[in-house]
Amino acid sequence: MLGLKVNFKKIVGIIKIIRPSNVLISGLTISVAVLIFGGEGFDILRLALMAGIVGVLIDAGANVINDFFDVEIDRINKPHRPIPSGLVSKRFALFIYFVCTILGLLVASFLNKMAFMIVFFSSVAIFLYSYRLKRIPLVGNFTVAFITGLAFIFAGSIVGNFKDALFPFLFAFMINFGREIIKDIEDIEGDLKSVVRTFPIVRGVNWAVAVSVSVFLILIFATMIPYFVGIYNHLYFLIVSVVNVGLIFVIFSLIRDRSKRNLNRLSNILKFEMLVGLSAIYFGSL
């Protein structure tokens, strides 16, 4: 019975540390992107499934290595996370990271060379981000936003369609850049105690809010461009308008309420906004 309890605890820890809801969203996003950029047919479905599996594995590894290097910060900001709470040891977390990343690269090797190189580059960038870059003001925010947007370039590379991937890349980059700054504001207490120099700490919360708001305002205008130049149809315009209403809400809420609870709520709203934005691109491409 004791062995079963230990194993169950380890299973719960593994599930929590890879953040299944996040990785499933990543995998689904990449799979749908391949279908959007590649058209129809059984071969496209196969490629979409493989690409989604790569996305799940690499994102899972990214979540784990981030927790591995952030354990001291998480003891303050998020003590419920698997490593600080004792569900997963640092050594076992590192093992999970290597397994997920190596499997992701292995599956990617069955795609074309360009797709594999993008996955390899992303894996290296993810490690460097978690190890060092996230502690450099704005550089870390830029890195994680770029990697997120790169998922669409990865999807485009699989089917040889980079042109249709450019706008999704830009939108994903911008919304994640603003979201990452909000997360830094949310984590400012733990970052201060751990001597981590994020942008809100170096330049102040007001400047961080201003940058995040500016990014979202530019994004709102940028999302209109594909419709007016005829890249996407009326369905895109309707759905992306809902996204923009959500962004306007986030902007005003961020200006009014900078409590940790509200910042976490806005971060989750932006995560949902990305899914709605993807649906706008999907239906707008029909």
Side-chain angles (χ1 to χ4, degrees):
M1 287 297 292
L2 181 60
L4 288 174
K5 287 181 180 179
V6 172
N7 289 336
F8 180 73
K9 178 183 175 182
K10 185 169 286 190
I11 291 170
V12 171
I14 293 171
I15 292 171
K16 284 189 174 183
I17 202 168
I18 66 173
R19 304 178 198 180
S21 62
N22 286 3
V23 300
L24 288 175
I25 289 172
S26 296
L28 180 62
T29 297
I30 293 173
S31 291
V32 172
V34 172
L35 295 176
I36 293 172
F37 305 151
E40 301 177 352
F42 176 77
D43 194 49
I44 295 298
L45 286 173
R46 179 182 62 82
L47 291 173
L49 177 61
M50 290 178 65
I53 291 171
V54 172
V56 165
L57 290 168
I58 296 300
D59 192 42
N63 291 332
V64 175
I65 199 64
N66 187 65
D67 277 16
F68 176 84
F69 285 115
D70 271 4
V71 61
E72 296 306 321
I73 297 172
D74 285 345
R75 290 191 201 280
I76 301 168
N77 287 332
K78 301 169 184 175
H80 60 279
R81 293 298 302 155
I83 298 178
S85 67
L87 280 175
V88 174
S89 68
K90 286 191 70 176
R91 184 177 180 180
F92 188 63
L94 199 60
F95 172 75
I96 298 171
Y97 161 71
F98 279 116
V99 169
C100 290
T101 303
I102 291 170
L103 285 176
L105 287 167
L106 180 63
V107 176
S109 69
F110 290 97
L111 302 169
N112 60 49
K113 289 182 180 179
M114 178 60 72
F116 176 79
M117 290 305 299
I118 291 172
V119 175
F120 181 79
F121 169 82
S122 298
S123 300
V124 173
I126 286 166
F127 182 87
L128 291 176
Y129 164 78
S130 299
Y131 174 63
R132 184 70 64 187
L133 297 180
K134 71 181 302 179
R135 291 161 178 79
I136 304 175
L138 291 186
V139 174
N141 306 114
F142 179 92
T143 302
V144 72
F146 183 81
I147 293 171
T148 304
L150 199 61
F152 291 98
I153 303 298
F154 167 63
S157 72
I158 293 172
V159 294
N161 184 358
F162 291 101
K163 184 183 74 170
D164 289 343
L166 290 179
F167 274 113
F169 162 78
L170 178 64
F171 298 159
F173 168 78
M174 294 184 73
I175 197 168
N176 276 281
F177 187 71
R179 180 173 179 262
E180 286 299 310
I181 294 175
I182 289 176
K183 288 168 65 178
D184 278 351
I185 302 172
E186 179 189 353
D187 291 342
I188 197 167
E189 179 186 354
D191 290 342
L192 276 169
K193 293 180 180 178
S194 301
V195 199
V196 176
R197 290 169 54 81
T198 59
F199 186 70
I201 290 174
V202 173
R203 295 302 302 271
V205 172
N206 287 339
W207 265 103
V209 169
V211 171
S212 189
V213 166
S214 297
V215 170
F216 293 144
L217 287 173
I218 294 170
L219 177 58
I220 289 170
F221 287 104
T223 55
M224 293 292 103
I225 295 174
Y227 172 72
F228 287 113
V229 299
I231 295 175
Y232 300 136
N233 61 30
H234 296 294
L235 281 175
Y236 168 83
F237 179 80
L238 291 174
I239 300 172
V240 88
S241 294
V242 174
V243 174
N244 288 337
V245 169
L247 286 174
I248 292 169
F249 170 80
V250 168
I251 288 170
F252 280 102
S253 183
L254 179 59
I255 293 171
R256 288 196 313 264
D257 183 1
R258 300 169 191 181
S259 67
K260 190 167 184 174
R261 180 179 180 182
N262 189 53
L263 292 170
N264 182 261
R265 181 173 67 114
L266 296 181
S267 177
N268 289 329
I269 289 173
L270 289 168
K271 190 189 299 184
F272 178 73
E273 288 270 275
M274 286 186 278
L275 289 177
V276 180
L278 179 65
S279 70
I281 293 169
Y282 175 76
F283 290 107
S285 303
L286 295 178

